[in-house]
Amino acid sequence: MIPEKADLIVKHATIVTQNDRREILDDGAIAICEGRIAALGATKEILARYSAEEMLDLSDHIVFPGLINNHNHLFQVSTKGLGEDMPVQDWVEVVTAPTAIHIRPEEMYIFCLAGCLEAIHCGVTTVVDMSYRAQRYEMHENNIRAMLDSGLRGRYTTIISDFGVEYGVLPALISPYSWFIEQYTRLHAQYPATDRMAVWLAIGAPWTITDEGLAATIEYANATRTPITMHLNENGVDNQISQERHGVNMVPYLETVGFLRPDLLAIHNVVTDQADIELYAKYDVKISYNPVSNMYLGSGIAPMVDMYQAGLKIGIGTDGAGSNNALDMLESMKVAALLQKVAARDASVIDAQTILDWATRDAARSIWLEEEIGSLEVGKRADLFAVRLNSSKIVPVHDPVASLMYSCGEQNVVLTVADGRILMKDGVVQHLDEEAILRQCQISATLLADRCGSNAKVTRRWRPGRLH
């Protein structure tokens, strides 16, 4: 029998499939053809059926489905360390909003690409990105180009905001809602949706848009069948402003205007009560949990266990590097678990397997890609990463899932594959000059901070020396 040809085979690995039975295969192999998993099983069986020019021996490695970061602001890589010790409202006003205003198209590309590099090193294969208002259309193009050049699977969004000066939104980030609809119409024509890349709608916060703008967004979403993502109840401001403007809390108000829907991805949800959760469940709203950002900005602890018990589809996001100081999904997964445990004062309230589900199979459901990614199964896209037992941080391993969740670090991730393409092997990114990108990122971030740094709160205390 002549073996079938595959593009890539990984063999002799421990494979955490994340299928419905949560099977873990010892000495397993995966054959990949044209970006999809053609076969998965025992190494001996797969090698009897398939051959490939590139075969990776992953003895002493654990393979997982690629992680899904379902909320991020890639351009905020430029602001790492500039917003320390500020509540979210101050941080937006003096750090991230001025950055969005002053950033240049070529800087947008390099910052977003640097963020994608960090994602690759952490085993992420899918990113949902939320950019701010584009000062020039090239900002959209360079953001998307960076995501495509990185090799990651992506969902790109840009914030619609036609209101909010009285609440601290900078005028340069506001335009008539018709302007944003025109931008989206052009983007959708230029970037037709595929499982690799699609353009979604985004609203920064519900109080940064007029009732008319919200209605126009809903109408456009319905007409084009485009999902929507929005920060919601990150802190108490949403409910406070909704009470002032509409006489009810924010989530009940959104129900009255038809905004709660199965294709809404609600981000943060820190100040969320049982009535909100019931409405989310009623309309099958999807959830993005951003624990590190919520801690960094002092926003609070989202009631994720209650949302999980209500049957909501949950994914995990890092949020932007400006309100996290990293895009490390491994760290975010660990914190996601620990934060719920300490909130409940009960270590058993959430387990490692559930958190891994939120970062893979459930995250895929949260972005409507569960038929394509989120688990390692025949027919699905070949998105995966491998952890090597190469340091005292992870060794010994008794439970692969628990070790990933509580012991693993970026240094243990040595292989990342997205859509069947090797993005990183032996810890080295294969298709990009990482050193040159990071060097330019440092230079560009320093120059951008200088342009935004008239406010004393963002004055840097350190200036890099000569960059080689």
Side-chain angles (χ1 to χ4, degrees), residues 393-436:
K393 182 170 179 60
I394 194 171
V395 175
V397 172
H398 298 292
D399 176 342
V401 174
S403 291
L404 177 72
M405 203 59 51
Y406 301 124
S407 302
C408 187
E410 179 183 315
Q411 67 268 38
N412 304 119
V413 178
V414 295
L415 175 72
T416 302
V417 176
D419 222 29
R421 178 187 182 189
I422 297 175
L423 305 183
M424 181 178 72
K425 183 168 67 172
D426 298 327
V428 178
V429 173
Q430 299 294 294
H431 58 301
L432 298 168
D433 187 340
E434 183 168 12
E435 183 178 349

Side-chain angles (χ1 to χ4, degrees), residues 11 30 43 57 73 89 131 148 180 191 211 260 306 340 347 387 395 403 415 431 441:
K11 60 182 181 176
I30 302 172
T43 294
D57 189 330
H73 306 276
Q89 301 300 119
S131 193
L148 291 172
F180 291 102
Y191 302 100
D211 294 346
L260 301 184
D306 291 341
Q340 296 303 309
V387 167
V395 175
S403 291
L415 175 72
H431 58 301
C441 180

Side-chain angles (χ1 to χ4, degrees), residues 90 97 99 172 190 194 262 370 454-455 459:
D90 291 346
T99 298
Q190 186 172 350
T194 67
E370 64 269 28
S454 58
N455 190 307
T459 300

Side-chain angles (χ1 to χ4, degrees), residues 130-373:
M130 179 188 281
S131 193
Y132 286 17
R133 180 197 183 280
Q135 305 302 310
R136 293 161 55 183
Y137 188 81
E138 296 96 310
M139 304 295 239
H140 301 306
E141 294 177 311
N142 281 0
N143 193 319
I144 293 172
R145 182 164 65 91
M147 296 169 74
L148 291 172
D149 287 352
S150 75
L152 295 175
R153 196 175 305 281
R155 295 295 180 265
Y156 174 75
T157 73
T158 177
I159 287 173
I160 299 172
S161 178
D162 67 345
F163 182 74
V165 171
E166 55 265 59
Y167 299 122
V169 181
L170 298 184
L173 296 178
I174 295 175
S175 288
Y177 63 81
S178 58
W179 181 88
F180 291 102
I181 297 301
E182 290 171 0
Q183 294 275 298
Y184 268 109
T185 301
R186 184 175 172 184
L187 283 167
H188 280 131
Q190 186 172 350
Y191 302 100
T194 67
D195 60 23
R196 172 80 192 285
M197 175 60 68
V199 176
W200 290 357
L201 295 162
I203 298 171
W207 44 268
T208 67
I209 190 166
T210 61
D211 294 346
E212 296 78 13
L214 191 62
T217 302
I218 295 170
E219 181 180 2
Y220 183 87
N222 290 339
T224 60
R225 303 182 67 181
T226 303
I228 308 172
T229 185
M230 179 171 70
H231 300 112
L232 190 53
N233 283 342
E234 185 172 0
N235 53 29
V237 173
D238 287 12
N239 284 337
Q240 177 186 337
I241 294 177
S242 184
Q243 287 286 347
E244 294 172 1
R245 291 173 63 184
H246 307 112
V248 294
N249 280 349
M250 186 58 75
V251 174
Y253 167 71
L254 293 175
E255 182 194 25
T256 66
V257 298
F259 192 75
L260 301 184
R261 49 206 292 130
D263 57 358
L264 171 64
L265 176 62
I267 307 156
H268 294 304
N269 310 289
V270 173
V271 183
T272 300
D273 60 23
Q274 193 59 41
D276 294 337
I277 293 172
E278 290 174 4
L279 287 175
Y280 283 163
K282 178 180 178 181
Y283 293 98
D284 193 20
V285 172
K286 312 306 188 292
I287 303 298
S288 177
Y289 174 32
N290 295 255
V292 175
S293 175
N294 297 154
M295 294 172 67
Y296 182 79
L297 295 173
S299 299
I301 303 174
M304 299 310 304
V305 174
D306 291 341
M307 288 190 251
Y308 176 61
Q309 292 174 345
L312 295 175
K313 300 175 181 68
I314 297 167
I316 296 175
T318 58
D319 209 347
S323 62
N324 182 310
N325 282 327
L327 300 177
D328 187 344
M329 272 290 287
L330 300 171
E331 176 186 71
S332 289
M333 288 192 298
K334 181 174 182 176
V335 173
L338 300 188
L339 198 55
Q340 296 303 309
K341 293 173 185 290
V342 74
R345 298 188 179 183
D346 179 358
S348 67
V349 73
I350 203 82
D351 59 19
Q353 181 61 62
T354 299
I355 298 296
L356 181 58
D357 288 351
W358 290 358
T360 55
R361 55 183 290 128
D362 289 353
R365 297 169 72 198
S366 80
I367 61 171
W368 309 282
L369 281 176
E370 64 269 28
E371 298 300 318
E372 299 288 341
I373 60 174

Side-chain angles (χ1 to χ4, degrees), residues 26-48:
D26 292 323
D27 194 13
I30 302 172
I32 298 169
C33 298
E34 297 182 349
R36 293 190 180 272
I37 297 174
L40 181 151
T43 294
K44 184 177 180 180
E45 295 174 1
I46 298 300
L47 294 184

